[in-house]
Amino acid sequence: MFSSITRALNNLHWFIDNTEYKNEARNRRQGRRLVLEAIEAGGNNYLIVAVAGLGFFTDSYILFASNAISPMLAYTYWNEAKEASHDLALNLATLGGCVVGQLLFGWLADRRGMGRRKVYGWELLLLMAGTTGVVMSSPGYALPVGSQSDANGIEWSSYGSMNVIAWLVWWRFVTGVGIGGDYPVSATLVSEMAPTKRRARMLAAMFSMQAVGYAAANIVALVVTIIVRHYHPDPTPRSIDQIWRWVIGLSLIPAFIASLLRLTIPESPRYTLDVTDNISKAFDESTRFNNAKLQQPEWVTQANQNTNSAALAQDEDGNVSGGEETELIDVIDINQSKIEAKRYFLDDGNWRLIAGTALCWFLLDIGFFALSLNSPRLVSKLWYQNPQQPAGDKLWATNPTVEDPEKGIYTILITNNTHSLIISSIGALTGSAAMLYFIDKINRRKFQLGSFLVLAALFIITGATFQYTVQTSFHGVTIILFVLCVFVFYCGPNTLTFLIPAELFPTKYRATCHGISAAAGKIGSIITQVFIAYVTFDNGGTGETSSLDPQSKWLGWILLIFSLPMVLGAFVTWWLIPDVQDSNRKPKTLEELVFVRQMAGRSSQDVEMSRKDRSSV
């Protein structure tokens, strides 16, 4: 009898504890729903897009301003250089810094105890420090020109007490770290704070600032050159040196404004909810920025304060441990704080996602940066129908109509930026505008696949056409085709490879995975820069030539070769990238995307047990 009473008391004790746990768990689930509903009630929330977009505008301006200032630097500091090693070093330093920043800041933004808000703005501070360093870079003290030379005629006065290229390379690397850090943090914040139906448009609007920054760099360089020419009609190294310092230095203004505005951005509610598992704080954050008139029920605070430590104990990395595992999985409110990296990426097979997004970005940037960071020589190839100056002449003298490049440097700089605006910026701006219009009307996965194939076809057509029209009266055909290539880049994979990684992954790993994907793209661009600088082509049996030879047709061969990565990008999209929309092109919530991918690698029995656990609470 005594044992029967003991058993009955134990059963009663278990029933009370289990009932309290279920009530608490139910309250927590309902609290999670309230947070997500508050985010959905946020409307357009374009203030967040504006804050993130202003920083992204600055990133793009500084990154692509290298096209505008490279002839200025060459004219001032390495006037007689026969190789483009200085330009290559600066480009590789910037892109290498981007890789470091994307990996570092993506990882930090996902860390428990750090988060998006704590690191948001630090990347801009790095960018401003690096940009200031670039503007202040100097060769140090140098003797007056002609005051000292050796028997070989080397003008030692051109060598100052410091190595200006070393300083430029270092500070461009620091700037690159800041530029790279902005990619994963901005994309993740906008994605997580956007209502589902407006998420794609908000991300596309932020990314469109890349095209605006690209155009702004050319416009500012053009305006500053005209102003300096007005006050200094006869060009000197000093006057040209002033131009590039103004062009780069002016980027500090939007960077400073963006850094101040980012202080007003709250933490991502999804990060607080899914990583720190603080429902009450997540609710406050979700209603702070969208003016949602929602009142937090008292039981949400109680549920957050009285977390069942046996079932929901977490270590410093946010991993759940201890007690009986009770998964409260729902298509809407899956508890992502319990998702472990090994299980999600390896056991559930979601390594395919990170492989797919990284490979697509890698393959895209092989072609994109081949046409983006070699602009002065590339534009010259496309624009002029007359043969250019003989190989071995000054690399910065890209205008064959200027008889005396030293005296006509202003004309060279103005035509460079004018032609770049026409060839690159028109395609980029119209492509971004078209993507903003179509982003909610298309299946994003299918559109990325199709636009990769369209780019491959355009590369083949443009490359073949270039072989026959370059330096002829029909060179305008190649210009039109090139503008079309840039248009498809922006109204296609260039935007989508940025957007899709911000949607696919769990909150706990979203910034890290976006950073890995973006870093893969920059690695592709680094390979491209080295390839273009050192690979030579046969010039119709007249000998091997490189991209530096004005008479070569390297651009046509580059386009033909790089059509292959575009085909591979389409294949990877088809093979590894899942749909982020349903059959009616309606976007899935971030929670739905995580649930589907988490369940995809499990057996039907596991899925059914998870659903039973959910329904029993």
Side-chain angles (χ1 to χ4, degrees):
M1 180 179 177
F2 180 75
S3 60
S4 299
I5 295 175
T6 302
R7 188 181 304 110
L9 290 174
N10 287 336
N11 289 338
L12 179 61
H13 184 265
W14 175 89
F15 175 78
I16 294 173
D17 285 348
N18 192 51
T19 302
E20 290 178 351
Y21 169 72
K22 286 188 175 182
N23 288 336
E24 178 186 324
R26 184 181 297 110
N27 288 345
R28 290 178 63 78
R29 287 184 64 238
Q30 293 174 355
R32 292 176 62 82
R33 285 181 177 273
L34 279 179
V35 172
L36 299 177
E37 288 172 1
I39 295 174
E40 294 298 321
N44 288 324
N45 220 341
Y46 277 112
L47 181 57
I48 293 175
V49 176
V51 173
L54 183 58
F56 214 71
F57 164 88
T58 307
D59 299 338
S60 175
Y61 177 100
I62 295 176
L63 182 62
F64 294 111
S66 60
N67 291 331
I69 70 171
S70 62
M72 307 174 195
L73 290 170
Y75 176 90
T76 306
Y77 295 112
W78 43 90
N79 193 296
E80 302 294 334
K82 299 295 190 294
E83 297 180 355
S85 56
H86 302 89
D87 290 345
L88 178 64
L90 291 173
N91 286 339
L92 293 184
T94 307
L95 296 172
C98 287
V99 172
V100 173
Q102 286 158 345
L103 294 175
L104 176 63
F105 279 87
W107 176 74
L108 288 174
D110 281 338
R111 292 290 294 172
R112 185 178 176 87
M114 292 296 292
R116 287 73 160 119
R117 188 179 189 276
K118 285 187 178 180
V119 302
Y120 203 41
W122 281 101
E123 76 284 359
L124 281 181
L125 293 179
L126 270 178
L127 183 148
M128 288 190 290
T131 301
T132 303
V134 169
V135 173
M136 299 298 291
S137 295
S138 167
Y141 176 76
L143 295 173
V145 175
S147 63
Q148 184 178 356
S149 62
D150 64 9
N152 296 320
I154 298 178
E155 192 66 59
W156 292 107
S157 59
S158 63
Y159 294 83
S161 57
M162 295 191 298
N163 189 327
V164 66
I165 187 63
W167 283 112
L168 288 171
V169 165
W170 165 248
W171 288 118
R172 283 294 284 184
F173 174 81
V174 174
T175 302
V177 175
I179 292 173
D182 205 21
Y183 276 66
V185 184
S186 289
T188 300
L189 265 174
V190 173
S191 177
E192 292 177 353
M193 300 177 103
T196 300
K197 64 182 180 180
R198 297 183 176 89
R199 184 179 66 233
R201 185 175 296 276
M202 290 171 67
L203 282 167
M206 183 192 76
F207 189 76
S208 67
M209 289 296 101
Q210 183 182 88
V212 178
Y214 196 164
N218 290 125
I219 293 172
V220 170
L222 184 61
V223 172
V224 172
T225 301
I226 293 173
I227 293 174
V228 171
R229 184 179 63 173
H230 175 76
Y231 288 101
H232 304 282
D234 297 323
T236 63
R238 184 179 185 276
S239 64
I240 303 304
D241 193 59
Q242 287 180 320
I243 298 175
W244 76 260
R245 294 181 191 275
W246 274 106
V247 172
I248 295 297
L250 287 172
S251 66
L252 292 171
I253 297 175
F256 178 74
I257 296 173
S259 63
L260 291 180
L261 291 175
R262 289 185 177 186
L263 296 175
T264 68
I265 299 294
E267 181 57 271
S268 161
R270 281 187 165 96
Y271 170 84
T272 305
L273 188 68
D274 295 330
V275 179
T276 67
D277 203 24
N278 190 327
I279 297 177
S280 178
K281 185 178 179 182
F283 186 89
D284 291 338
E285 290 166 346
S286 64
T287 58
R288 171 185 167 186
F289 222 65
N290 56 29
N291 298 318
K293 305 299 183 181
L294 300 176
Q295 183 176 2
Q296 181 175 163
E298 183 179 353
W299 51 261
V300 172
T301 304
Q302 293 175 347
N304 190 72
Q305 294 173 345
N306 300 321
T307 300
N308 189 305
S309 58
L312 298 173
Q314 294 177 331
D315 61 20
E316 61 180 3
D317 293 324
N319 297 320
V320 178
S321 60
E324 180 182 358
E325 182 182 6
T326 307
E327 293 184 308
L328 306 177
I329 300 176
D330 190 275
V331 171
I332 302 299
D333 54 11
I334 180 174
N335 190 347
Q336 297 185 40
S337 65
K338 295 184 176 184
I339 298 177
E340 296 179 356
K342 179 180 180 297
R343 182 172 186 179
Y344 180 78
F345 288 104
L346 297 181
D347 297 345
D348 293 348
N350 290 309
W351 61 267
R352 296 179 181 86
L353 295 182
I354 187 64
T357 56
L359 280 173
C360 284
W361 211 328
F362 171 83
L363 294 166
L364 172 82
D365 276 5
I366 286 177
F368 178 72
F369 277 90
L371 307 183
S372 300
L373 288 183
N374 297 280
S375 185
R377 293 195 302 275
L378 184 149
V379 169
S380 177
K381 287 280 188 182
L382 294 173
W383 200 267
Y384 299 105
Q385 72 178 64
N386 298 320
Q388 299 182 31
Q389 298 175 18
D393 274 13
K394 303 177 188 299
L395 296 179
W396 49 267
T398 55
N399 188 336
T401 64
V402 176
E403 295 182 1
D404 187 347
E406 294 287 349
K407 295 182 179 180
I409 181 63
Y410 288 136
T411 301
I412 292 173
L413 297 178
I414 290 172
T415 54
N416 278 349
N417 288 290
T418 302
H419 295 165
S420 183
L421 274 172
I422 295 172
I423 291 178
S424 298
S425 297
I426 288 179
L429 290 170
T430 55
S432 295
M435 178 54 77
L436 275 173
Y437 178 79
F438 288 112
I439 191 67
D440 291 327
K441 304 177 186 295
I442 59 174
N443 179 296
R444 294 197 281 279
R445 174 180 176 270
K446 292 179 180 178
F447 198 81
Q448 177 171 300
L449 190 156
S451 54
F452 263 122
L453 293 177
V454 171
L455 271 176
L458 281 173
F459 273 27
I460 293 172
I461 296 171
T462 307
T465 303
F466 180 86
Q467 303 293 331
Y468 296 99
T469 63
V470 64
Q471 299 177 357
T472 72
S473 58
F474 298 101
H475 67 289
V477 175
T478 306
I479 293 176
I480 294 173
L481 288 171
F482 187 86
V483 172
L484 191 56
C485 286
V486 177
F487 174 88
V488 177
F489 263 121
Y490 280 87
C491 184
N494 192 38
T495 301
L496 294 174
T497 52
F498 174 87
L499 191 151
I500 291 177
E503 299 180 292
L504 282 179
F505 301 99
T507 306
K508 195 173 180 179
Y509 308 112
R510 183 170 291 120
T512 301
C513 292
H514 195 281
I516 292 172
S517 302
K522 291 301 179 285
I523 291 172
S525 65
I526 290 172
I527 293 173
T528 295
Q529 293 298 304
V530 175
F531 178 86
I532 291 176
Y534 292 108
V535 172
T536 59
F537 303 92
D538 180 53
N539 192 27
T542 61
E544 290 187 346
T545 60
S546 70
S547 63
L548 301 181
D549 189 338
Q551 301 293 336
S552 74
K553 297 183 179 182
W554 65 272
L555 179 57
W557 293 112
I558 289 290
L559 291 171
L560 291 172
I561 292 170
F562 286 170
S563 64
L564 178 58
M566 302 302 104
V567 174
L568 292 176
F571 173 74
V572 172
T573 301
W574 168 79
W575 181 35
L576 296 175
I577 302 297
D579 272 318
V580 293
Q581 298 152 283
D582 61 21
S583 57
N584 296 320
R585 296 193 296 274
K586 180 181 177 181
K588 299 175 183 177
T589 67
L590 298 179
E591 288 68 34
E592 285 179 296
L593 289 168
V594 173
F595 175 81
V596 171
R597 299 307 303 172
Q598 188 182 33
M599 291 296 100
R602 304 187 188 179
S603 65
S604 58
Q605 184 177 1
D606 289 336
V607 176
E608 185 61 28
M609 290 178 63
S610 297
R611 296 188 186 280
K612 287 182 178 180
D613 287 340
R614 184 186 74 237
S615 62
S616 65
V617 176

